[in-house]
Amino acid sequence: MFIRIGFEITIECARPTPLLLALLPHPSYGGRAIGSDQVRTDPAVPQEEYLDEFANRRVRMVAQPGRMTLWSDCIVENDGQPDPFDWNARQHPIAELPPDTLRYLTPSRYCNSDELVEQAWALFGATPEGWARVQAICNWVHNQLTFGYQYGRSTKTASDALRERTGVCRDFAQLAVTLCRAMNIPARYASGYLGDVGVPDSGPGDFCAWFEAYLENRWFTFDARYNTPRIGRVLVVRGRDAADGAMMTSFGNYDLKVFRVWTDEVVGTTTDAERLALLEELPDAPALTLAPT
């Protein structure tokens, strides 16, 4: 299957403002891209793409005083399969874990697992190790937190979300990550595009956060907010928590004027040429008259 992904972000700065962006599909995403997945700007400014320590594709640029629009629009191929699961996936003893998973066992900026060890073991200590334990954590977080955009804030930790019983998708993911780590299960934060493929009328496409847990010699995707396998995820970033996967990090103030995201299944096309023709203008964007170059 094919999915059209993109965003339009307009900011206004009073002075030159350096930006670090995490808005490009992750190198590990398996589907090919049709058209350009690069970040484009109006007005044009110099930019540099690099890989960070989690292999996330980052872009560095300096926004100049005034308004600037950042955008991207492309079509990516997707296998069309729901998130894989394995009810028999086992939990590894810490001594057997690969070295590169160990950093996902310890506390991080927003996932303060050291503060929740006692509570995690009280809640989940009697659950079977492995997949069943991670799923029990997902079930609990899904049922305990109330979702709402008004509940999000950039400084909110897993402990805050637990105490307030509210959050956005990143809070669901970070609380589940924190509880997994407290139970000695490597877990990492992830985010990217997620539309309504397979679940029509579930809301507009958006950037969404989920998490990955290491079981049975591989990383599995879990989603505490939706708590069901989904189709059409397009991974953008991974990290210890949202601090490693912020979409936009600014070194200075800016006013956000426009923020739109789309992630829609492409149907009715049979060739790449037909799919490229869809990218001649951005979808439903009366405020933006740019066309891809």
Side-chain angles (χ1 to χ4, degrees):
M1 66 182 298
F2 295 88
I3 301 173
R4 185 175 185 174
I5 60 170
F7 60 85
E8 173 196 359
I9 302 171
T10 298
I11 61 174
E12 187 169 349
C13 303
R15 57 187 54 84
T17 304
L19 302 174
L20 300 180
L21 309 177
L23 293 166
L24 304 174
H26 196 273
S28 67
Y29 178 72
R32 64 191 178 96
I34 300 171
S36 174
D37 64 2
Q38 299 300 304
V39 176
R40 285 163 279 184
T41 67
D42 182 33
V45 296
Q47 54 182 277
E48 175 190 4
E49 182 177 332
Y50 65 97
L51 295 180
D52 67 15
E53 61 180 306
F54 302 99
N56 301 317
R57 295 169 65 196
R58 297 276 190 168
V59 174
R60 178 168 61 177
M61 66 178 63
V62 178
Q64 298 302 310
R67 287 201 175 200
M68 181 174 75
T69 294
L70 305 96
W71 66 287
S72 182
D73 189 30
C74 70
I75 293 172
V76 295
E77 193 168 11
N78 188 276
D79 64 11
Q81 299 300 308
D83 302 324
F85 61 89
D86 180 357
W87 296 107
N88 297 313
R90 69 184 183 95
Q91 179 177 335
H92 295 270
I94 293 176
E96 296 180 5
L97 287 167
D100 61 355
T101 68
L102 298 179
R103 62 178 166 179
Y104 300 110
L105 282 175
T106 54
S108 57
R109 167 69 178 86
Y110 296 112
C111 295
N112 46 341
S113 52
D114 52 337
E115 298 182 22
L116 297 183
V117 170
E118 185 175 345
Q119 187 164 0
W121 281 94
L123 288 168
F124 308 110
T127 60
E129 291 188 347
W131 187 281
R133 179 166 286 176
V134 178
Q135 188 58 60
I137 289 171
C138 279
N139 294 344
W140 191 87
V141 172
H142 178 78
N143 292 327
Q144 292 295 316
L145 298 192
T146 298
F147 178 87
Y149 291 109
Q150 70 272 25
Y151 302 130
R153 64 179 186 272
S154 61
T155 59
K156 197 168 188 176
T157 67
S159 291
D160 293 333
L162 178 59
R163 182 178 61 257
E164 298 168 19
R165 293 295 202 270
T166 61
V168 291
C169 56
R170 82 172 224 167
D171 300 306
F172 282 71
Q174 289 180 155
L175 180 54
V177 164
T178 301
L179 293 170
C180 284
R181 291 179 188 172
M183 302 296 294
N184 300 327
I185 302 169
R188 63 190 184 188
Y189 178 88
S191 70
Y193 292 92
L194 182 62
D196 64 353
V197 179
V199 282
D201 303 321
S202 62
D206 201 353
F207 291 124
C208 185
W210 56 87
F211 77 100
E212 298 172 344
Y214 191 83
L215 302 168
E216 197 67 41
N217 297 305
R218 59 161 291 182
W219 291 98
F220 285 96
T221 294
F222 291 87
D223 190 332
R225 179 192 170 187
Y226 292 110
N227 204 27
T228 188
R230 294 289 294 268
I231 297 170
R233 294 185 198 272
V234 179
L235 179 68
V236 173
V237 294
R238 290 190 179 110
R240 292 163 297 191
D241 56 32
D244 296 325
M247 291 181 295
M248 182 182 297
T249 302
S250 69
F251 298 87
N253 295 325
Y254 65 84
D255 291 327
L256 181 64
K257 300 298 185 181
V258 176
F259 183 87
R260 295 193 310 115
V261 180
W262 51 91
T263 171
D264 303 306
E265 184 179 3
V266 175
V267 296
T269 62
T270 58
T271 67
D272 285 358
E274 291 176 321
R275 298 174 189 118
L276 281 168
L278 295 176
L279 303 177
E280 292 181 356
E281 59 183 30
L282 294 178
D284 303 322
L288 187 63
T289 59
L290 298 172
T293 57

